[in-house]
Amino acid sequence: MSEENERQDMMLKLMQQNARRIMSTVPWAQALGFELTGIEKGRAFAKVGWREDLVGDPDTGVIYGGVLTALLDNLSGVCINTALKKPMSMATLDLRIDYMRPADKGRDILAEAECYHITRNVAFTHAWAYHESRDKVIATAAGTFALNDIGRWASGNAAMDIANKMLGGEK
Amino acid sequence: MSPRAAQLQAFLDRTPFARFIGMEFETNGDQLIARLPFRKKFIGNGAINALHGGATGAFLELTAVAQVYLQSDLQRPPKPINLTIDYLRSAKGEDLYARAIVHKLGRRMASVRAEAWQGDDPEKIVTALQAHFLVAEDG
């Protein structure tokens, strides 16, 4: 068991060291300007800046809801990265989003995600988007993700590939 | 193109995000078929050339919005309250199509299901979305 914990700590460290690559190698995250701002065990934090071309309602300048969906989806996937005991691939199974209030025009949107349960095949997540803190959320997300053997299904995640190599996993 | 479809086109033309993803649509009476021409920026997993769930989801949400708009006389686009997206298959790096059914269009709320597919079989759903929208014009 302690060997497993050691492996998990190592895995987390590797993800943290290569955190920049987790989102920067995902084209859609780049297109929308997502920035990963931090990861810790089972949690991840990110930011997306307001941009004119992401506006969903031209009359109010409010960012399109789909941008938040994409952000919370991506960040939920990332937070699972830091909860895994070994490198794995993942795919969203389902994602539920609640929109509480529109985002303010011109302001950055912050987000955090938490992986609160993980089994051999599935990871469960919660995520929040807000301007300042979780006390006043713009949107929340509940997600489930299918986990897969990285040898059978390429992760498409550069940091995960590095961790896989360092931990001696097969390609 | 019906007058309402022309209004929908005008709405999409002046909505930055709709232009950003490049969504197109055709109508058959009151029913819309949306198309998302593939672009490299939609990729989520480059190793298996799969579309990002957030790109598919955003397209489905916009399809649902467009369908509600098309079959109503709303002046403003419906506002999403919540949505659930089921990812049934991995979406390949190619064009995506979608259609939506409005299960209920009330005075305040609309309930909509939208489905996306690739290739020529609409029954082979890649991603499905179920959403509620606020349609009250004073909301």
Side-chain angles (χ1 to χ4, degrees):
Chain A
M1 192 63 197
S2 77
E3 199 180 303
E4 199 176 55
N5 287 344
E6 227 169 74
R7 197 180 160 82
Q8 190 174 14
D9 286 349
M10 178 69 124
M11 170 95 183
L12 177 60
K13 227 172 260 168
L14 285 168
M15 297 312 290
Q16 281 171 330
Q17 278 164 10
N18 298 287
R20 210 179 43 81
R21 301 185 193 221
I22 300 177
M23 270 191 182
S24 69
T25 48
V26 177
W28 187 236
Q30 283 311 290
L32 299 177
F34 297 167
E35 196 184 312
L36 190 63
T37 54
I39 50 175
E40 45 193 66
K41 191 174 170 179
R43 302 172 73 83
F45 303 83
K47 183 175 100 173
V48 59
W50 186 89
R51 244 168 54 190
E52 182 78 53
D53 58 353
L54 301 183
V55 165
D57 185 342
D59 298 329
T60 60
V62 170
I63 290 277
Y64 181 62
V67 175
L68 295 181
T69 306
L71 176 65
L72 296 178
D73 177 40
N74 207 315
L75 195 62
S76 298
V78 172
C79 81
I80 299 167
N81 283 222
T82 64
L84 290 171
K85 290 189 166 68
K86 62 171 187 180
M88 293 186 92
S89 298
M90 65 202 66
T92 318
L93 208 55
D94 94 336
L95 188 73
R96 148 86 181 217
I97 307 273
D98 289 296
Y99 294 110
M100 272 70 175
R101 54 168 62 79
D104 295 341
K105 180 180 178 176
R107 295 182 77 185
D108 287 354
I109 294 164
L110 309 179
E112 62 181 88
E114 187 181 307
C115 177
Y116 66 94
H117 188 68
I118 197 157
T119 72
R120 210 182 326 180
N121 297 306
V122 185
F124 300 83
T125 61
H126 283 146
W128 302 261
Y130 46 79
H131 287 308
E132 275 149 26
S133 78
R134 252 163 68 174
D135 297 339
K136 197 177 168 188
V137 290
I138 298 165
T140 62
T144 52
F145 291 73
L147 299 176
N148 229 310
D149 199 341
I150 202 164
R152 295 209 336 235
W153 183 16
S155 73
N157 172 338
M160 188 62 82
D161 289 343
I162 290 169
N164 188 39
K165 232 180 246 170
M166 302 275 284
L167 292 169
E170 82 282 29
K171 187 79 179 104
Chain B
M1 198 181 258
S2 72
R4 189 57 178 170
Q7 281 179 20
L8 173 59
Q9 185 63 60
F11 162 68
L12 292 177
D13 286 345
R14 69 186 194 95
T15 300
F17 191 84
R19 290 202 305 265
F20 181 73
I21 64 170
M23 173 170 140
E24 301 168 355
F25 75 91
E26 282 173 22
T27 53
N28 184 2
D30 254 4
Q31 185 62 46
L32 157 153
I33 290 185
R35 186 167 86 99
L36 186 71
F38 173 70
R39 294 187 194 180
K40 275 189 185 145
K41 67 181 177 185
F42 299 146
I43 293 291
N45 183 339
I48 58 169
N49 195 37
L51 299 186
H52 195 290
T56 319
F59 169 58
L60 275 173
E61 186 185 326
L62 201 51
T63 301
V65 166
Q67 180 62 48
V68 172
Y69 190 87
L70 184 67
Q71 67 182 76
S72 67
D73 51 10
L74 292 169
Q75 293 308 303
R76 309 258 310 125
K79 293 190 191 115
I81 299 165
N82 59 38
L83 51 93
T84 304
I85 309 171
D86 282 356
Y87 295 95
L88 307 174
R89 295 179 173 85
S90 138
K92 292 172 286 193
E94 54 187 65
D95 292 1
L96 201 58
Y97 299 87
R99 59 186 175 185
I101 299 167
V102 181
H103 287 301
K104 188 194 166 181
L105 180 57
R107 275 190 307 173
R108 299 172 64 214
M109 306 289 177
S111 174
V112 188
R113 177 175 168 87
E115 297 171 346
W117 70 93
Q118 294 184 303
D120 52 12
D121 186 2
E123 300 296 320
K124 198 173 169 191
I125 302 165
V126 169
T127 310
L129 166 139
Q130 178 68 45
H132 289 99
F133 293 94
L134 189 65
V135 293
E137 300 276 14
D138 55 2

